[in-house]
Amino acid sequence: MKKIDLSIIGSGIGGSLIASLNADKKTVLFEKDQNIGGCASTFKRYGNYYNAGATTLVGYEDEHILKEHFDTIGLNPNITKSNIAIRVIQNKNVIDRIKDFDQFLDNINDVYPNKNNKYFWKFIKEFDEKFWNLKKIYFGKFSINNYLKTFNFFMELISTYKMDILKSADGFIKEILGDISMEYRNFIDAQLLITIQTTSKDISLLSMALGLSYPFHDVFYVNGGMGSLIEDIVKNVELKKNEEITKIIRGQNEWIISSRKHEYKTKKLILNSSIYQCGSLFDDYEVKKYYDRFTFSDQSAFVVYLTLKSDYDFCEHYQFIYNDLLPNCISNSFFVSFSKKDDTKLSRNGYSITISTHTTAKYWKSLQKDEYVKSKNITESFIFEKFLEYFEDIKKEDVSQLFSATSTTFNKFIGRYNCGGKAIGFKNFMQLPSCNTPFNGLYNVGDTVFAGQGWPGIALGVDVLNKELNKV
Ligand SMILES: Cc1cc2nc3c(=O)[nH]c(=O)nc-3n(C[C@H](O)[C@H](O)[C@H](O)COP(=O)(O)OP(=O)(O)OC[C@H]3O[C@@H](n4cnc5c(N)ncnc54)[C@H](O)[C@@H]3O)c2cc1C
């Protein structure tokens, strides 16, 4: 049986980053799929490449933890800054989410005039900036030392934000902007749904500030697809692709992990699979019970993939917001990402386009095969028609490939039904999973664990885990 110091199960953003930071140990990274990166992978179909889910990268900035990780592993990522982070299209209005605050403010004032817009958006931007300057970000459980460090982080939050830390997003909107129109509310909520997976109804002011400020940072396009970046991250790591870990046994001072190919003995084990599906890997009652107590967060993705032949120039990212929910979805918006024309991999047969929106896993799981196919066609066609309706110059026949994925597809390829964890709030903070577990040598990483989804959130979680692993 091969002996390993550190095994990481799953090559998502979390698994890949933590593996790369510990590549100097006897570390092995296992990935069930042939592509690495999970929700941030790039796959090939019908001779074309597509980003499976994630298309934007944020956090590659000085003083930000993601850049620090990349610098530590000596990675100079092949990325290009987007001039317009997101072009938002709503009822024929256009709002460009750009980094330049004054330009953005002029734009929002044109579309949604409000005497307090400047105060609101400036406050949101500064609230976010303060977060990224915090020095004690930490969330851990199961030992006095971990609780103490978590408490110190709480105290830093309180001393930084004072009473504002207790404010809700909804309350803050009402306090500053008053009773805004349904369209303005939809504009705010649709962006929160893509950045932090929920709307302003359920979250704290801090979560809203982090979500809405995403485009006030540099937003990058990843050349060659998101999966290429993951490949660059793990280039010095022993990687076992196409090797799904199917069973884990708790030993005395180690963990025995098995795939259909081999069995390994590992001192430390990090699971990058969704926290809601980790329990199924274990027979041990205590470990199973630990994982089963996290209630499933039923938020998932419906994604449409296209290949488009066109001479037109497009922004890299658009968000389309409507007044009503899309069919079979829990969102009234979808997010469209175009590959860059000069991307020799993604755009080799035309633009590679990834369009995503939110749905529930429960819905797709509940359908019989024929109902599933029918529902999938309805959602795919609706999104495609809306896409064609806006881009009038694109004709149906310019699109050479069109197919889609549901939560069931995500589960088939990357072993997760839900896409995105729960947004952190004061009410649910202590119920959230931390990177450490009550079991010696067993850890978790990824977007279902603190501090949440996407590159910046997962990088923060990786930082906490790395300190935990190496007891810094
Ligand atoms: C449609 C969509 C669009 C998004 N857009 C963006 C975006 O633009 N920007 C952004 O920053 N974020 C975006 N996100 C969020 C981001 O993609 C995710 O938060 C992030 O990729 C999740 O990373 P993770 O570390 O949790 O791992 P995951 O992506 O969940 O990957 C886990 C990996 O573990 C593997 N695995 C699971 N079980 C096993 C096993 N038993 N054995 C071996 N391997 C296993 C899986 O195959 C997978 O590769 C998007 C997400 C979706 C779904």
Side-chain angles (χ1 to χ4, degrees):
M1 199 184 300
K2 188 174 171 179
K3 289 187 181 159
I4 305 172
D5 288 338
L6 177 62
S7 299
I8 297 151
I9 300 180
S11 69
I13 295 176
S16 297
L17 280 176
I18 195 69
S20 66
L21 292 169
N22 290 279
D24 55 336
K25 305 184 178 72
K26 218 169 162 195
T27 296
V28 180
L29 175 61
F30 295 91
E31 171 52 54
K32 80 187 269 291
D33 196 39
Q34 58 176 329
N35 301 301
I36 59 172
C39 297
S41 58
T42 302
F43 66 95
K44 191 176 180 186
R45 194 163 177 199
Y46 309 126
N48 307 309
Y49 289 92
Y50 305 92
N51 282 322
T55 52
T56 61
L57 181 130
V58 162
Y60 191 70
E61 295 175 42
D62 287 336
E63 313 294 327
H64 277 235
I65 196 66
L66 182 65
K67 181 161 188 303
E68 217 175 276
H69 288 332
F70 284 1
D71 289 349
T72 306
I73 61 170
L75 174 64
N76 185 10
N78 183 6
I79 55 181
T80 308
K81 208 184 287 182
S82 298
N83 293 329
I84 297 170
I86 309 169
R87 171 156 290 175
V88 182
I89 314 288
Q90 187 183 16
N91 300 325
K92 304 228 159 91
N93 290 315
V94 175
I95 301 172
D96 282 343
R97 289 303 320 260
I98 44 174
K99 198 176 174 187
D100 186 293
F101 184 79
D102 293 330
Q103 238 178 301
F104 165 69
L105 192 67
D106 286 347
N107 199 173
I108 193 95
N109 273 331
D110 278 347
V111 179
Y112 295 120
N114 186 301
K115 66 177 176 12
N116 288 337
N117 267 340
K118 184 171 183 180
Y119 182 88
F120 179 84
W121 288 96
K122 194 161 173 276
F123 191 97
I124 289 290
K125 186 173 182 292
E126 287 170 1
F127 220 68
D128 168 81
E129 280 162 6
K130 281 184 198 164
F131 181 83
W132 295 106
N133 283 324
L134 295 175
K135 296 284 172 275
K136 295 181 186 162
I137 298 177
Y138 181 85
F139 182 60
K141 298 181 185 175
F142 312 114
S143 78
I144 293 180
N145 195 27
N146 290 346
Y147 285 116
L148 205 63
K149 285 195 269 177
T150 304
F151 178 76
N152 284 340
F153 170 42
F154 265 57
M155 294 316 284
E156 192 185 24
L157 280 175
I158 291 168
S159 73
T160 306
Y161 292 113
K162 313 281 181 305
M163 294 307 281
D164 287 339
I165 194 68
L166 298 175
K167 286 189 176 167
S168 70
D170 203 29
F172 186 72
I173 293 172
K174 282 206 183 87
E175 179 190 333
I176 307 302
L177 297 176
D179 284 324
I180 54 174
S181 65
M182 182 189 76
E183 286 78 12
Y184 196 1
R185 173 70 79 154
N186 283 347
F187 169 77
I188 291 174
D189 282 344
Q191 280 170 79
L192 290 173
L193 206 51
I194 54 167
T195 50
I196 56 165
Q197 305 293 308
T198 186
T199 66
S200 56
K201 272 193 212 78
D202 314 315
I203 52 167
S204 64
L205 168 58
L206 176 59
S207 294
M208 176 166 78
L210 296 176
L212 290 181
S213 295
Y214 195 85
F216 288 139
H217 295 271
D218 288 333
V219 175
F220 293 94
Y221 175 87
V222 178
N223 297 301
M226 209 47 101
S228 308
L229 178 58
I230 301 281
E231 273 163 30
D232 288 344
I233 291 172
V234 300
K235 67 175 184 299
N236 294 322
V237 175
E238 185 178 344
L239 170 66
K240 293 193 182 293
K241 281 193 208 180
N242 290 314
E243 190 161 348
E244 177 176 6
I245 299 302
T246 49
K247 193 171 167 191
I248 304 173
I249 298 172
R250 184 181 172 191
Q252 281 291 15
N253 292 308
E254 76 280 304
W255 300 86
I256 317 283
I257 60 176
S258 321
S259 68
R260 285 179 199 92
K261 299 176 187 167
H262 300 288
E263 226 175 49
Y264 308 84
K265 207 181 250 188
T266 185
K267 283 190 202 143
K268 290 184 179 175
L269 174 61
I270 301 173
L271 304 180
N272 183 215
S273 40
S274 153
I275 196 96
Y276 311 112
Q277 288 172 250
C278 285
S280 62
L281 292 169
F282 297 86
D283 284 337
D284 186 287
Y285 175 74
E286 291 297 321
V287 184
K288 248 186 178 334
K289 201 168 100 186
Y290 168 72
Y291 283 114
D292 288 349
R293 74 179 184 202
F294 299 110
T295 46
F296 185 66
S297 166
D298 197 1
Q299 187 102 275
S300 196
F302 187 97
V303 188
V304 181
Y305 305 97
L306 307 173
T307 297
L308 166 76
K309 278 254 187 279
S310 173
D311 292 330
Y312 288 95
D313 290 317
F314 300 97
C315 295
E316 274 116 45
H317 310 286
Y318 296 81
Q319 186 177 28
F320 290 85
I321 306 177
Y322 302 94
N323 292 340
D324 299 315
L325 294 181
L326 315 186
N328 310 319
C329 295
I330 52 168
S331 171
N332 58 354
S333 75
F334 56 81
F335 191 76
V336 181
S337 295
F338 285 79
S339 58
K340 276 174 95 69
K341 235 183 196 169
D342 58 358
D343 187 324
T344 49
K345 185 173 171 185
L346 258 68
S347 300
R348 63 189 202 159
N349 295 321
Y351 285 107
S352 166
I353 301 172
T354 299
I355 308 180
S356 60
T357 185
H358 290 81
T359 184
T360 63
K362 210 166 141 195
Y363 172 72
W364 296 99
K365 257 175 149 181
S366 73
L367 302 175
Q368 297 297 324
K369 203 174 171 195
D370 50 342
E371 287 176 322
Y372 175 88
V373 174
K374 205 168 135 197
S375 292
K376 201 167 168 230
N377 284 339
I378 290 173
T379 308
E380 182 185 290
S381 307
F382 181 89
I383 293 173
F384 186 46
E385 292 301 328
K386 290 283 178 197
F387 173 87
L388 293 177
E389 196 177 289
Y390 180 77
F391 296 107
E392 287 170 349
D393 295 314
I394 298 176
K395 301 279 162 284
K396 251 186 188 161
E397 49 279 17
D398 300 332
V399 173
S400 61
Q401 297 299 340
L402 165 67
F403 57 97
S404 53
T406 70
S407 44
T408 304
T409 324
F410 275 90
N411 188 55
K412 180 177 163 200
F413 288 99
I414 62 165
R416 63 182 293 178
Y417 278 109
N418 89 315
C419 294
K422 287 190 172 149
I424 303 176
F426 264 96
K427 280 188 210 143
N428 68 354
F429 201 68
M430 286 316 285
Q431 281 117 49
L432 290 177
S434 58
C435 65
N436 52 357
T437 70
F439 310 101
N440 205 9
L442 180 65
Y443 306 87
N444 288 94
V445 75
D447 67 4
T448 52
V449 183
F450 176 86
Q453 81 141 22
W455 283 98
I458 297 173
L460 268 183
V462 166
D463 188 53
V464 174
L465 170 60
N466 199 39
K467 287 179 179 144
E468 197 57 28
L469 273 180
N470 299 296
K471 288 290 174 209
V472 179

